[in-house]
Amino acid sequence: MARFQPADAFRVKRDDLELLPFRFERLAADRFVVSNVVGDMATLSGVDLRRLSNLDLDPSEPLYALAAEKLLVRRKDSPVILQLLALRLRSRMGFLQHPSQLHILVVTLRCEHSCPYCQVSRRSVDRELYDMSFATALRAVDVALSSPSEHLKLEFQGGEPLLNFDLIRQVVPVARERSIAAGKTVQFVITSNLALLTDEILDFCKVNEILLSTSLDGPADLHNRNRPRPGGNSHALAVEGIRRAQELLGADRVGALMTTTQASLNRVEDIVDEYLRLGLDGIFLRPLSPYGFAVKTKQFYKYDGRVWLDFYERGLRYILEINKQGRHFPEFYTSLLMRRMLTDRPTGYVDLRSPAGIGLGALVYNYDGKVFASDEGRMLAEMGDRTFELGNLSSDDYASLILSDRLIDLVDQSLTQCAPQCSTCAFEPLCGADPVYHHATQGDPVGIKPLSEFCARQKGIMTLLVRLLEESPEDAAILRRWAR
Amino acid sequence: MTSLVIEYSAATQSLGALREAAYRLIGHGSCQIETVGDVHRCLIEPAPRRHRPDDELRSMFIDLVTDENLREKLATETAATRHLILALAFGALASKDDASSSA
């Protein structure tokens, strides 16, 4: 009696095959990127795309091997493939099981900087009516702790939050005590320009394991031009603050973010070099956002998405060269996308989520007790648009905020899984809904995607990454490392 | 730049795919679709300040329609499998919710 089936039994026949759901985008006249339901990607010629679509495949040829590897086809008698895709899809959406992990407390709107691109519409330094009260802060902590997530991040923002450091000093121990009682862990972050950093504040951060996040736009001339303050010494103070924080708290306890202004566009190498010089562990190349003073002062309109993409590509290629010389130095947005592309780990980055990260990913408690679905939504409110205002700490609790009709409507309307163009886009599994951006720029949370700079930017970056992964093995190896 | 007219037979070309292609054309041109008898007539107005030659805009629209026809075919042929994957992925969540709400 034969112990094994004959070899023919394991050979795939054309009639045994079935198409799995996949999407495609045209990259060039005869080049397409295809992706399955969990974002595994490949590029194909037009002929191969049509052959695949018609299941005109010979199981002995490379096109079949590629289609099977990327889960674009399956044998009809192989239900395990469907279970695998379902499991992976569920894993990718795992962020829904841990809602509202990030809670931002705007402890003051005051700031001693006067950056023309400021997204938060800061107020002058001497107006204390823009400070959050202790009672409001405690109410925010209680709402945060009543969210279902076990691991929370409380971020103190401004304005310049160190102008109201007394409040932070009061709130942190109480929040820690209440989180222990609730069986939760809390990570604290202060987002500051570091100009007002003192040894006392650093000691407090060390004792309470507080992370620092700051702004660094590049070398002194560029940074000071972008970020004016009395004395014109923003760069010197930021650099000094970063160095002291690295020494006292540890190199991995302070991070920096840059914003691309028109003056930055030809300086990407200088900007990256400045981050390297300061021993920072990577860089996030960020475009301007359409909120706050960036709109009022018309900074946002000084370059378009195509120009920024050129800036990003030049920067990424420069950073890849640095990595080739043996220094691990990621571009953080690329890392986020590579993780979406190459792993099924749920993303913590709210802009790459659908359902959108507004409210479900973060809640923002303004200095006056108003609660917003995102930091950008708070910025819009400062411009007079209250679309993303969910309620007030004086009358709302976590459930009434997160289940408010307003939030549910906005999340529901902006799902990329069924939005025009997004629903058929090959990049959708890696992308996210950004209802605040589209509301701000187009007056519509769904957005008209063919006119959306967010969409153009996302597609431009992802197309570049697909090209690098397929055409440049050395770059691909580095990009894969960044996904870990 | 003048308006372009591209016609398709209503017997073989779906209106849905033309509408999707018209949507993706936004920013390059505006497309109005009229069905007269057995013909879908696509009237394309190039977008102002876009300097794409007429023949390029025409080719672009035809490519978009070709792509949308393929998307429509794929969606139809794989709809049942997609629904099954979604049910496998999130059906358990629905069951869990039902169980907790009836408890």
Side-chain angles (χ1 to χ4, degrees), chain A residues 19 28 41 60 106 131 155 169 198 357 377 380 391 398:
Chain A
L19 273 183
M41 292 195 171
S60 64
V106 180
D131 283 6
E155 186 170 317
R169 187 167 26 210
T198 62
L380 280 181
Y398 177 75

Side-chain angles (χ1 to χ4, degrees), chain B residues 47-59:
Chain B
R49 295 191 300 279
R50 289 270 172 179
H51 302 294
R52 193 181 282 271
D54 286 357
D55 54 348
E56 217 176 279
L57 191 62
R58 177 184 294 271
S59 298

Side-chain angles (χ1 to χ4, degrees), chain A residues 120-194:
Chain A
V120 299
S121 303
R122 84 277 157 182
R123 303 287 171 170
S124 61
V125 72
D126 56 347
R127 299 179 69 173
E128 298 207 359
L129 65 158
Y130 294 110
D131 283 6
M132 181 180 266
S133 71
F134 183 53
T136 301
L138 287 189
R139 181 76 188 123
V141 167
D142 286 342
V143 169
L145 286 171
S146 59
S147 74
S149 292
E150 291 175 4
H151 307 288
L152 303 175
K153 184 180 278 188
L154 283 191
E155 186 170 317
F156 299 104
Q157 271 199 21
E160 169 46 52
L162 296 187
L163 283 168
N164 196 10
F165 180 68
D166 283 347
L167 178 71
I168 298 173
R169 187 167 26 210
Q170 285 178 286
V171 167
V172 166
V174 179
R176 189 175 298 288
E177 189 180 304
R178 291 185 183 182
S179 69
I180 292 167
K184 299 180 187 232
T185 61
V186 180
Q187 171 70 64
F188 298 99
V189 181
I190 299 177
T191 299
S192 163
N193 58 42
L194 302 184

Side-chain angles (χ1 to χ4, degrees), chain B residues 1-15:
Chain B
M1 295 255 286
T2 52
S3 302
L4 305 174
V5 177
I6 304 175
E7 294 185 340
Y8 292 89
S9 163
T12 54
Q13 174 60 54
S14 92
L15 189 56

